[in-house]
Amino acid sequence: MQHTSTQTPRTRSWVPAGALAILALLAGCASSPSDISLPSSVPQPDKSEAQVAGLNVQKIQWKGTKPGCQGQCPLIEIDSVGFPDIAKLTELVDHVLAYMTGVDPDRPRPYGTLSEYTQYFWQTAQSRDATYFNASVVGVTSKIIAIELNTNQYLTGAAHGIPATQYLNWQRDRSRVLALDEALEPNQHAAYVDALRRAHKTWLTQNEDAKRDPAAYDKMWPFQESDNFALTPQGMLVKYDAYSIAPYSHGEPELLIPYSELKGTLRPEFIPAAGG
């Protein structure tokens, strides 16, 4: 998609300080388990099923333009996942993806599902607006299903898309989302930040921009804390927004903290044994 405007790209963190409280609210607001759906007036998504580390995962794909539009038309594309055996998690993915749209995290959304967002978007979008939704499983352990949710919005006249990524850590035994401080041992948040800082230093050694002038890079893009994490078999992944610790060209940086760096910091039940 081509964008000719030279205005400064916009980015945002859709998650305010109470992010996990919002996720808990979204998890409880669904009244009846259902699959990700779209209005009956449009073709339904293509679906296929597979297993990821023994977990049944349904691939859900759909792409459409504004009904009745000709020429350059608003576009929505969905590449998501559902969980045939965990209807509540399927519905949560649907809710959170819809919530991740918009450029103001504090502004209420007049929609709560992808189906409702689709109707809203057709009514409000300009001709070259587009929204892309993606959800994928990034890790499965005996305790956690880690899911990455991503939205990317292209607004008419903008030079770049507006990306947002959020991890969800689904506790399999409690059927709920796990917050960072719930995953940590008591009073170990500072130790988590220290481990994250070490992972950031390792990441900088592979960052060509940082290696050219470390002092200037650190001044422009200093270390920041992030609580956007995923517990995977390989370690704790921590995601950052675009423009947070690196230029836009670096996308949304992702750091990996090995579990060996989190002993005594992360609760032991969330450190997978060999083989997950």
Side-chain angles (χ1 to χ4, degrees):
M1 180 177 298
Q2 298 296 316
H3 296 275
T4 57
S5 171
T6 58
Q7 72 181 67
T8 301
R10 284 172 286 181
T11 187
R12 86 306 189 200
S13 171
W14 73 274
V15 186
L20 290 166
I22 292 173
L23 293 180
L25 176 63
L26 289 171
C29 69
S31 58
S32 59
S34 65
D35 203 347
I36 291 178
S37 62
L38 290 166
S40 58
S41 58
V42 302
Q44 293 303 295
D46 294 325
K47 301 174 185 177
S48 60
E49 290 192 19
Q51 284 204 335
V52 178
L55 177 71
N56 290 328
V57 178
Q58 186 178 62
K59 192 75 171 175
I60 303 170
Q61 296 179 308
W62 183 84
K63 180 178 181 179
T65 56
K66 182 177 179 179
C69 177
Q70 297 182 351
Q72 187 75 47
C73 298
L75 169 70
I76 293 177
E77 188 168 329
I78 298 169
D79 186 359
S80 188
V81 289
F83 302 90
D85 302 323
I86 316 174
K88 187 177 179 181
L89 180 54
T90 299
E91 201 162 54
L92 179 61
V93 169
D94 185 52
H95 276 268
V96 177
L97 279 174
Y99 187 85
M100 287 170 63
T101 57
V103 295
D104 183 352
D106 298 317
R107 183 177 180 180
R109 276 72 164 154
Y111 44 82
T113 66
L114 291 181
S115 175
E116 293 170 356
Y117 175 80
T118 300
Q119 293 300 312
Y120 173 84
F121 184 77
W122 296 153
Q123 295 170 9
T124 60
Q126 298 184 53
S127 63
R128 300 177 69 187
D129 288 2
T131 305
Y132 298 86
F133 297 97
N134 181 270
S136 60
V137 176
V138 294
V140 178
T141 68
S142 61
K143 294 288 186 181
I144 296 292
I145 302 169
I147 305 168
E148 180 177 303
L149 307 180
N150 177 269
T151 62
N152 207 336
Q153 299 175 89
Y154 289 86
L155 305 180
T156 300
H160 294 281
I162 307 170
T165 299
Q166 177 66 35
Y167 288 131
L168 295 181
N169 296 275
W170 182 259
Q171 283 186 268
R172 305 178 73 171
D173 58 345
R174 301 186 64 185
S175 297
R176 65 189 292 272
V177 173
L178 179 71
L180 175 62
D181 285 339
E182 295 173 327
L184 301 178
E185 292 277 25
N187 304 312
Q188 290 300 306
H189 190 91
Y192 158 74
V193 175
D194 288 342
L196 182 60
R197 191 183 298 274
R198 292 192 294 272
H200 178 254
K201 288 182 179 179
T202 299
W203 176 78
L204 287 176
T205 64
Q206 303 166 5
N207 183 324
E208 295 299 326
D209 291 339
K211 289 193 291 185
R212 277 193 291 272
D213 191 338
Y217 191 93
D218 184 65
K219 183 177 181 180
M220 180 68 70
W221 306 106
F223 169 79
Q224 295 183 32
E225 184 180 344
S226 171
D227 64 356
N228 191 8
F229 76 105
L231 297 177
T232 77
Q234 294 74 37
M236 178 187 281
L237 290 176
V238 181
K239 181 78 80 170
Y240 284 85
D241 293 331
Y243 285 121
S244 56
I245 60 170
Y248 185 86
S249 59
H250 285 255
E252 297 170 283
E254 182 179 270
L255 308 184
L256 176 67
I257 308 176
Y259 286 118
S260 60
E261 292 285 311
L262 294 168
K263 291 181 179 178
T265 300
L266 191 66
R267 286 169 54 185
E269 60 264 39
F270 298 121
I271 298 178

